[in-house]
Amino acid sequence: MISPAVVRRTEQWFVRQGAPTMIEGYGFRSHVLPRMLPALTFVAVGSLAWLVLQQSAGLSRWVLLGLIVAVMVSAWVLLSLFVRRMPNFSPRMTVLVLVVYAAIPVITPLVQSAIDIRFTAPDGDADPEPVWGALIWFVVVFAVAFLATMLATTYGLGSLLKAAIRHVIADLRNSVHLIGRALPPMLFVTLFLFFTGELWQAMNRLSWQRVSLVVLMFAAITVLAAAARLRDEIGRVEQDLRPEVLQVACKGTPLSGVEITEPLPPRRLNGRQSRNLLVMLAIRQLVQAAVIGLALFAFFVVLGLIVVTPEIAEQWIGERPTPSKLFGVPAAMLRNATLFAAFGSMYFSVISMSDAEHRRQFFAPVIEKVERTLEVRAVYLDVRERAGA
């Protein structure tokens, strides 16, 4: 007989892997809201801290700030230890948490108004705002914080971010190999376009906000390409549930001691689970693309400083180039480098998913993690049914 504790530890393993939606019966009240509690408390205490700081000045202000930060961090740590037990909130507890959180953005500006008669803007503006302006501002901030926390908790973005940071460190350790494989084909596609005069003219007049939108478009294309590839991979992985494959996948997990004697039936994924795997894949691809993008950006900046003199830049642009705050380097050069770095990293991400050689070296490790998650899920569901959980 399989112990229910094994099932529970496996569910905690899914959370640490950034795939919490693989837990059977995963829902807002049972799994998401309890794990949101540390972040929601952090936001709530932070708003009250801001209220206290508005009434302080001089040295006492910084002393209070230090105490408040210590309280906020302590509350986060204690509540994080609590939610590691994966508590299940009752309907009454759920309503209580939501009501308290919704009340704080209303109470805070009202208290501030009662103390100061007028509300001081959080951006430090000397002109006070009426209390209704403060109320709207707090409600919007708390609503955005709640939605962002809910999405991050639902899809395990915290765990995925930690894994992404570890992968970044590994990529940087292997940066010579990674960049050596990625840089030549990227330069073949982008190098000569870098010296296009019309592009320098456009980049000299284009704002950084618009350049950022272009970078976001390239990132969105990377995510869409990963989504299309993931559908094919999931269909292939779900059919490979042989005992020898499952036993290898379960090594190092709470299910490592489970005996598997026959193939398990494939289990369909719902929409939330498919999106969770997509987020897992997309974050890894975007992090890898960021490493390549930084290398390309540095290359084009150095190349521009060597080849493109101020006179050449002025001839291409038709006027004196706008200097940037970075040692007076022309802003057009930095924007050009950013544009080509974003395009090159997107191109590399797409190629790494389709080209056989690039796929084996750069994309296969990501798919292996997705495969293992699905294989462990199949065993988990079988064990859960046998344990009567």
Side-chain angles (χ1 to χ4, degrees):
M1 181 67 179
I2 303 297
S3 170
V6 175
V7 176
R8 191 170 186 83
R9 289 199 301 270
T10 305
E11 293 174 347
Q12 294 172 346
W13 182 85
F14 283 131
V15 172
R16 292 193 300 270
Q17 295 299 309
T21 59
M22 299 298 145
I23 299 173
E24 186 69 8
Y26 189 77
F28 175 77
R29 180 174 63 83
S30 59
H31 296 90
V32 177
L33 184 60
R35 292 173 47 230
M36 290 173 60
L37 198 57
L40 297 182
T41 304
F42 191 86
V43 174
V45 175
S47 70
L48 297 176
W50 175 83
L51 176 63
V52 172
L53 291 176
Q54 288 290 314
Q55 307 303 317
S56 307
L59 180 62
S60 62
R61 181 186 185 94
W62 297 105
V63 173
L64 281 174
L65 179 61
L67 291 174
I68 290 167
V69 170
V71 170
M72 293 171 69
V73 173
S74 300
W76 182 291
V77 172
L78 291 175
L79 288 172
S80 297
L81 294 175
F82 169 72
V83 300
R84 283 181 185 177
R85 299 168 53 192
M86 300 182 68
N88 193 337
F89 281 0
S90 64
R92 182 177 299 179
M93 184 64 177
T94 301
V95 172
L96 177 63
V97 171
L98 295 178
V99 168
V100 170
Y101 183 81
I104 290 177
V106 178
I107 293 174
T108 302
L110 292 179
V111 173
Q112 176 73 22
S113 177
I115 295 174
D116 283 346
I117 307 302
R118 302 283 287 180
F119 170 75
T120 304
D123 58 2
D125 194 347
D127 296 330
E129 293 183 6
V131 66
W132 62 264
L135 183 62
I136 294 175
W137 185 86
F138 267 101
V139 168
V140 170
V141 169
F142 268 63
V144 171
F146 185 87
L147 291 176
T149 303
M150 183 176 65
L151 289 175
T153 305
T154 300
Y155 297 108
L157 296 186
S159 299
L160 291 176
L161 182 59
K162 293 178 183 177
I165 293 174
R166 290 195 298 268
H167 284 302
V168 167
I169 295 174
D171 285 343
L172 291 177
R173 289 174 180 171
N174 300 322
S175 58
V176 175
H177 172 71
L178 180 64
I179 295 173
R181 294 284 303 181
L183 202 57
M186 299 306 100
L187 295 179
F188 180 77
V189 175
T190 60
L191 181 59
F192 294 103
L193 294 175
F194 183 75
F195 298 105
T196 305
E198 291 79 2
L199 193 59
W200 279 71
Q201 294 177 17
M203 291 298 106
N204 190 61
R205 295 175 173 83
L206 202 64
S207 65
W208 278 108
Q209 290 79 3
R210 291 179 178 270
V211 174
S212 300
L213 290 176
V214 176
V215 173
L216 289 177
M217 287 180 60
F218 288 145
I221 294 174
T222 302
V223 172
L224 290 175
R229 191 70 187 183
L230 181 64
R231 293 189 183 94
D232 298 334
E233 296 295 336
I234 290 178
R236 179 182 63 83
V237 171
E238 283 190 312
Q239 305 303 318
D240 192 7
L241 300 177
R242 295 168 296 167
E244 58 272 20
V245 174
L246 297 177
Q247 287 178 351
V248 172
C250 290
K251 287 183 178 179
T253 74
L255 299 174
S256 58
V258 175
E259 183 178 356
I260 307 170
T261 58
E262 58 183 15
L264 297 179
R267 307 294 184 108
R268 290 182 59 86
L269 296 172
N270 57 35
R272 180 185 290 175
Q273 291 169 336
S274 298
R275 288 191 295 271
N276 196 172
L277 294 179
L278 171 60
V279 170
M280 181 188 299
L281 182 60
I283 287 180
R284 179 67 186 104
Q285 288 297 102
L286 289 175
V287 168
Q288 193 174 72
V291 175
I292 299 298
L294 288 175
L296 286 171
F297 176 81
F299 175 86
F300 280 117
V301 168
V302 173
L303 181 66
L305 291 174
I306 295 174
V307 178
V308 184
T309 63
E311 293 76 16
I312 294 177
E314 184 174 354
Q315 182 179 0
W316 284 351
I317 297 172
E319 59 186 21
R320 184 177 295 275
T322 304
S324 67
K325 296 180 181 180
L326 184 63
F327 306 111
V329 176
M333 180 186 300
L334 296 179
R335 291 169 185 152
N336 255 333
T338 301
L339 180 67
F340 284 113
F343 173 78
S345 58
M346 177 209 68
Y347 180 80
F348 173 79
S349 294
V350 174
I351 288 297
S352 69
M353 292 184 285
S354 56
D355 180 77
E357 182 63 22
H358 284 76
R359 174 186 168 85
R360 183 182 64 82
Q361 294 195 13
F362 303 112
F363 190 62
V366 188
I367 292 299
E368 288 175 0
K369 182 176 181 180
V370 174
E371 289 177 348
R372 188 189 185 199
T373 301
L374 293 176
E375 290 158 359
V376 172
R377 172 179 175 264
V379 180
Y380 155 75
L381 293 176
D382 181 70
V383 167
R384 190 176 185 276
E385 292 173 356
R386 284 190 280 167

